[in-house]
Amino acid sequence: MSSKKVIELFYDVVSPYSWLGFEVMCRYRNMWNIDLKLRPAFLGGVMQASGNKPPAVIPNKFKYMNKDLARLSQYFGVPLHPPSDIFDTMFNKGSLAAMRFVAAVQEREKGGDKQVEQVSRELWKRIWCEDKDITEPASLCEAAMKAGLSSSEIKEVLELSSSKEIKDKLKSTTEAALKYGAFGFPMLVCHVNQKPEMFFGSDRFELLAQCIGEKWLGPQPDRSAKL
Amino acid sequence: MSSKKVIELFYDVVSPYSWLGFEVMCRYRNMWNIDLKLRPAFLGGVMQASGNKPPAVIPNKFKYMNKDLARLSQYFGVPLHPPSDIFDTMFNKGSLAAMRFVAAVQEREKGGDKQVEQVSRELWKRIWCEDKDITEPASLCEAAMKAGLSSSEIKEVLELSSSKEIKDKLKSTTEAALKYGAFGFPMLVCHVNQKPEMFFGSDRFELLAQCIGEKWLGPQPDRSAKL
């Protein structure tokens, strides 16, 4: 039996704050005594079911979000650059196909989650750094290729991603997030003494570390360690 | 001419996150080379003008906010306890009379802001710790008494608080907040090289410290200093 504490990370590649949370947890997963479970889910479903509205619909919030992301990009060491048309990217185009694709990668992958991690990162890079599409099959394949999947693997994943099995999988992960009380992503759920402790967003890591009895060394622990 | 960096803190005593931000800035005001300007304003006006909705209207957000505040209370060392009926306290009763009262205290006070600081704190304590009213004149007087104001001072402040002068003052501070891009409180505006840098909420202090060239020692710097 492992003594590692399980932490579930619910995320969607359409969400820039999720990217920050994702990179931080990937940096800490080997420094902390944790078992990180990546939980790709569908933010659109969470927003609709919880009745929440994205920050971008309030003009002053939207302006601040852009400033905030620019500051956090530097602080977290994550190359975030908002796409040219954020509204179109986030609300019209959305991420359903992309998140089904990630769910399919996860379904296929055995013995780890390196592929899920890499494919998710490449999708974030496309939207939130390179201003590229993530809705077309060709876009998803390109991301998977950069993530190191072979052509035959990509073909399989793409087919799988439109299956009922994968649609249901993404739906059930999204429902699991809602059951924990989700109203947005990233959402981190720490399992401590059989009790789920939920943390929302990318600004509660110090409290999360306390919760699991670990030490927070900032968003760039490698850099902190060197200082 | 002072080399101190001016930081404006916009707040409303109805907002628990404002209380956290307020206490942190009061702790740091003598540790950092800053000139802290307390800017009591009206959150209701900011929410309405910006089109923002309080987190509490989304059920999952509301549940999380309670959990989050309990965690932050301990982390910040601020004795936050939600009132028995948060909705009634925040939305029906509101804080207009209270914030006019604080604005009147500020108007009267010469040579510092000790009274504004103490009266604000006592009002937060009433709502966010002792589950007491802040809408009745008697409640405001009680808070001012605890804050150390004399009976004659309190009488003056109470009269002043319903004057056109003070109504206009609170309105103009609230409008100033909106001009900086407010959509909620606390909002901190750092003036660095003649440029205002706005920070929203109580979870960006490390970035704020970087912005003004100071060091962040956590929300309880006295405790950190002793460790």
Side-chain angles (χ1 to χ4, degrees):
Chain A
M1 241 182 75
S2 162
S3 69
K4 291 184 174 198
K5 294 203 172 75
V6 170
I7 300 185
E8 297 179 80
L9 167 58
F10 292 87
Y11 67 93
D12 185 316
V13 297
V14 84
S15 148
Y17 291 97
S18 287
W19 192 11
L20 302 174
F22 173 89
E23 293 299 347
V24 165
M25 291 311 298
C26 288
R27 291 168 191 166
Y28 275 93
R29 70 191 303 179
N30 295 318
M31 297 178 59
W32 287 345
N33 190 31
I34 58 173
D35 180 9
L36 181 67
K37 306 256 190 228
L38 298 181
R39 300 280 260 147
F42 181 48
L43 181 58
V46 164
M47 299 303 270
Q48 195 172 18
S50 67
N52 199 9
K53 295 266 176 295
V57 300
I58 306 295
N60 274 356
K61 258 195 188 176
F62 178 69
K63 264 185 262 173
Y64 180 71
M65 191 185 88
N66 276 291
K67 181 80 194 174
D68 191 43
L69 286 174
R71 287 173 180 150
L72 293 173
S73 164
Q74 202 182 7
Y75 178 63
F76 280 81
V78 174
L80 264 174
H81 302 289
S84 48
D85 190 338
I86 295 191
F87 277 93
D88 195 43
T89 303
M90 296 187 79
F91 307 126
N92 299 336
K93 291 181 173 171
S95 58
L96 189 56
M99 294 316 293
R100 281 180 181 158
F101 189 79
V102 176
V105 170
Q106 188 172 51
E107 187 67 21
R108 264 197 83 265
E109 188 172 17
K110 301 287 171 248
D113 59 7
K114 209 65 209 159
Q115 290 189 340
V116 182
E117 181 185 327
Q118 293 287 11
V119 170
S120 301
R121 184 174 289 122
E122 291 301 331
L123 289 168
W124 264 305
K125 272 195 203 164
R126 286 185 73 88
I127 326 183
W128 284 101
C129 182
E130 297 160 0
D131 200 4
K132 285 182 182 163
D133 170 81
I134 59 152
T135 64
E136 300 296 327
S139 309
L140 304 173
C141 293
E142 210 176 292
M145 225 164 60
K146 282 206 176 171
L149 276 71
S150 70
S151 301
S152 65
E153 282 176 321
I154 295 174
K155 194 165 166 277
E156 258 184 66
V157 167
L158 202 60
E159 272 176 31
L160 188 59
S161 73
S162 61
S163 68
K164 185 171 183 306
E165 178 191 359
I166 289 302
K167 287 180 183 175
D168 287 349
K169 178 187 160 89
L170 187 68
K171 207 175 154 189
S172 101
T173 308
T174 305
E175 281 164 359
L178 284 161
K179 263 199 186 161
Y180 283 128
F183 52 88
F185 289 154
M187 181 179 77
L188 289 144
V189 180
C190 303
H191 295 270
V192 178
N193 303 326
Q194 264 95 48
K195 223 185 98 197
E197 290 279 350
M198 193 265 263
F199 294 86
F200 168 71
S202 293
D203 38 31
R204 295 292 184 271
F205 289 111
E206 194 164 349
L207 296 174
L208 182 147
Q210 271 181 20
C211 172
I212 58 167
E214 296 281 357
K215 203 168 159 50
W216 172 242
L217 299 169
Q220 302 191 60
D222 289 349
R223 228 181 54 168
S224 307
K226 273 180 223 147
L227 293 177
Chain B
M1 241 182 77
S2 163
S3 70
K4 292 185 173 198
K5 293 203 174 77
V6 170
I7 300 185
E8 298 179 77
L9 167 58
F10 292 88
Y11 66 91
D12 185 317
V13 297
V14 84
S15 148
Y17 291 97
S18 288
W19 192 9
L20 302 175
F22 173 89
E23 294 298 349
V24 165
M25 291 311 299
C26 288
R27 290 168 191 166
Y28 275 92
R29 70 190 304 178
N30 295 319
M31 299 177 59
W32 286 345
N33 189 33
I34 59 171
D35 179 10
L36 181 67
K37 306 256 189 228
L38 298 181
R39 299 279 260 147
F42 180 47
L43 182 58
V46 164
M47 298 304 269
Q48 195 173 17
S50 67
N52 199 9
K53 296 265 176 295
V57 301
I58 305 295
N60 274 357
K61 259 196 187 174
F62 179 69
K63 262 185 262 172
Y64 180 71
M65 191 185 87
N66 276 293
K67 180 81 195 175
D68 191 42
L69 286 174
R71 286 173 181 151
L72 293 173
S73 164
Q74 202 182 8
Y75 178 63
F76 281 81
V78 174
L80 264 174
H81 301 288
S84 48
D85 191 337
I86 294 191
F87 277 93
D88 196 42
T89 302
M90 295 187 80
F91 306 126
N92 299 337
K93 292 182 174 170
S95 58
L96 189 56
M99 294 316 293
R100 282 181 180 157
F101 190 80
V102 176
V105 170
Q106 187 172 52
E107 188 65 21
R108 265 197 82 267
E109 188 171 18
K110 301 288 170 245
D113 59 7
K114 209 65 210 159
Q115 289 189 338
V116 182
E117 181 185 326
Q118 292 289 9
V119 170
S120 301
R121 184 174 287 122
E122 291 301 331
L123 289 169
W124 265 306
K125 272 194 202 163
R126 287 185 72 89
I127 326 183
W128 284 101
C129 182
E130 297 159 0
D131 200 2
K132 286 182 182 162
D133 171 80
I134 60 152
T135 64
E136 300 296 328
S139 309
L140 303 174
C141 293
E142 210 176 291
M145 224 163 61
K146 284 205 174 172
L149 276 71
S150 71
S151 302
S152 65
E153 282 176 319
I154 294 173
K155 193 166 166 278
E156 258 184 65
V157 167
L158 202 59
E159 271 175 30
L160 188 59
S161 73
S162 61
S163 67
K164 183 168 185 307
E165 177 191 358
I166 289 302
K167 287 179 184 175
D168 287 348
K169 179 187 159 92
L170 187 67
K171 208 174 152 190
S172 101
T173 308
T174 306
E175 280 163 1
L178 284 161
K179 262 200 188 160
Y180 283 129
F183 51 88
F185 288 156
M187 181 179 76
L188 289 144
V189 180
C190 302
H191 295 270
V192 177
N193 302 327
Q194 265 96 47
K195 224 185 98 198
E197 290 279 350
M198 193 264 262
F199 294 86
F200 167 71
S202 293
D203 38 31
R204 294 290 184 275
F205 289 111
E206 195 164 350
L207 295 175
L208 182 146
Q210 273 181 19
C211 172
I212 58 166
E214 295 282 358
K215 205 170 155 52
W216 171 242
L217 299 168
Q220 302 190 60
D222 289 350
R223 227 180 54 168
S224 307
K226 273 180 223 143
L227 293 177

